[in-house]
């Protein structure tokens, strides 16, 4: 398991150093797979829109949080078109600086740029309708992931939603030495969600991604 990582500090600092060397572009954010961005965003939009609306039990659209936001690829194409305001959090300041130009005119509706690792980040209680966590849970140890999800739960408005979208291993946990991250099998992700005291409302596999990359699943949590 991730918590068998011998040196937690090294696990995080190595990842920070990795991302400091990555160019602040869509291709950089997606590890050279910039071409999948539209397929990814369209799948996410379809997933999210089933929850949004005005009726009873529907998730509001006033404010969203983009976790591990990078230069704001998801904020620009998914969250700003659907929410009145958005906050971004990322561990790499250079990415957040780039986001301010990358997001263009619509970026005026970004209220906060937080430079912080998710293991240390505390969402403001009761602020967010949706907290979007994509391609970043592998940078957290099991314990830190559970605690972060619990803090996110406190950060939700009534009928708010946490969405986790990430690579899923076929079996067990796969360590990536290059960017200092892990990829967990789906059962382990579900188990950590459950241990954190949240439940999975809906999950689905992202279709039409290249065969050579990990399978990707999206989970709606509350």
């Amino acid at each position: 398991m991730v918590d068998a990582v011998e040196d937690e500090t090294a696990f995080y600092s190595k990842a920070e150093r990795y991302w400091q060397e990555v160019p602040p572009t869509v291709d950089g954010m997606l590890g050279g797979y910039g071409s999948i961005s539209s397929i990814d965003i369209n799948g996410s939009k379809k997933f999210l829109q089933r929850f949004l609306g005005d009726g009873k039990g529907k998730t509001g659209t006033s404010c969203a949080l983009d976790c591990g936001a990078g230069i704001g690829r998801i904020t620009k194409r998914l969250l700003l078109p659907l929410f009145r305001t958005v906050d971004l959090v990322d561990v790499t300041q250079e990415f957040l600086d780039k986001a301010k130009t990358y997001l263009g005119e619509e970026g005026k509706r970004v209220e906060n740029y937080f430079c912080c690792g998710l293991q240390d980040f505390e969402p403001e209680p009761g602020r967010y309708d949706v907290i979007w966590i994509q391609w970043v849970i592998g940078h957290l140890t099991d314990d830190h992931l559970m605690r972060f999800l619990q803090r996110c739960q406190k950060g939700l408005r009534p009928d708010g939603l946490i969405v986790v979208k990430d690579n899923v291993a076929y079996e067990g946990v796969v360590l990536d030495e290059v960017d200092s991250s892990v990829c967990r099998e789906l059962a382990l992700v579900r188990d950590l969600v459950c241990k954190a005291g949240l439940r999975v409302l809906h999950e689905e596999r992202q279709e039409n991604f290249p065969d050579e990359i990990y399978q990707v699943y999206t989970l709606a949590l509350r």
Side-chain angles (χ1 to χ4, degrees), residues 30 42 46 59 62 84 88 99 104 116 122 129 137 156 201 205:
L30 294 176
N42 291 338
K46 196 171 149 206
T59 298
S62 68
R84 192 167 53 81
L88 284 72
C116 186
E122 300 218 11
D129 292 299
I137 64 167
L156 293 178
L201 304 180
R205 184 179 173 182

Side-chain angles (χ1 to χ4, degrees), residues 1-6 8 11-12 137-143 173 175 181-184 192:
M1 293 300 296
V2 190
D3 294 301
V5 168
E6 284 178 27
E8 194 177 90
F11 177 69
Y12 287 114
I137 64 167
H139 283 301
L140 296 176
T141 64
D142 289 357
D143 186 53
V173 178
L175 178 65
S181 71
V182 294
C183 183
R184 302 169 176 93
L192 292 171

Side-chain angles (χ1 to χ4, degrees), residues 70-109:
I71 64 169
R73 179 187 72 91
I74 293 165
T75 289
K76 183 180 180 114
R77 300 204 38 209
L78 176 70
L79 301 177
L80 279 172
L82 293 174
F83 295 87
R84 192 167 53 81
T85 61
V86 180
D87 291 347
L88 284 72
V89 55
D90 197 274
V91 75
T92 308
Q93 185 63 52
E94 186 193 4
F95 295 164
L96 295 174
D97 292 342
K98 174 71 176 182
K100 289 167 189 174
T101 52
Y102 172 74
L103 294 173
E105 189 66 18
E106 294 298 310
K108 288 179 177 170
R109 295 189 287 112

Side-chain angles (χ1 to χ4, degrees), residues 115-216:
C115 186
C116 186
L118 298 185
Q119 69 274 18
D120 300 314
F121 185 69
E122 300 218 11
E124 182 186 317
R127 175 170 173 81
Y128 300 106
D129 292 299
V130 167
I131 296 179
W132 193 273
I133 309 168
Q134 182 165 347
W135 279 324
V136 70
I137 64 167
H139 283 301
L140 296 176
T141 64
D142 289 357
D143 186 53
H144 281 160
L145 176 55
M146 286 189 292
R147 291 186 196 192
F148 178 60
L149 289 173
Q150 289 168 341
R151 295 196 300 275
C152 285
Q153 191 177 39
K154 291 189 180 81
L156 293 178
R157 292 163 62 93
D159 298 314
L161 204 63
I162 297 164
V163 180
V164 172
K165 185 170 186 177
D166 221 303
N167 298 342
V168 169
Y170 287 99
E171 190 178 1
V173 178
V174 182
L175 178 65
D176 185 331
E177 293 279 6
V178 178
D179 69 356
S180 189
S181 71
V182 294
C183 183
R184 302 169 176 93
E185 68 178 25
L186 191 55
L188 286 174
V189 176
R190 286 197 204 106
D191 185 49
L192 292 171
V193 166
C194 183
K195 283 179 178 168
L198 287 84
R199 61 196 174 92
V200 178
L201 304 180
H202 184 69
E203 70 177 50
E204 65 182 44
R205 184 179 173 182
Q206 171 69 53
E207 303 289 339
N208 302 317
F209 271 2
D211 292 338
E212 71 269 19
I213 66 173
Y214 282 114
Q215 51 184 348
V216 171

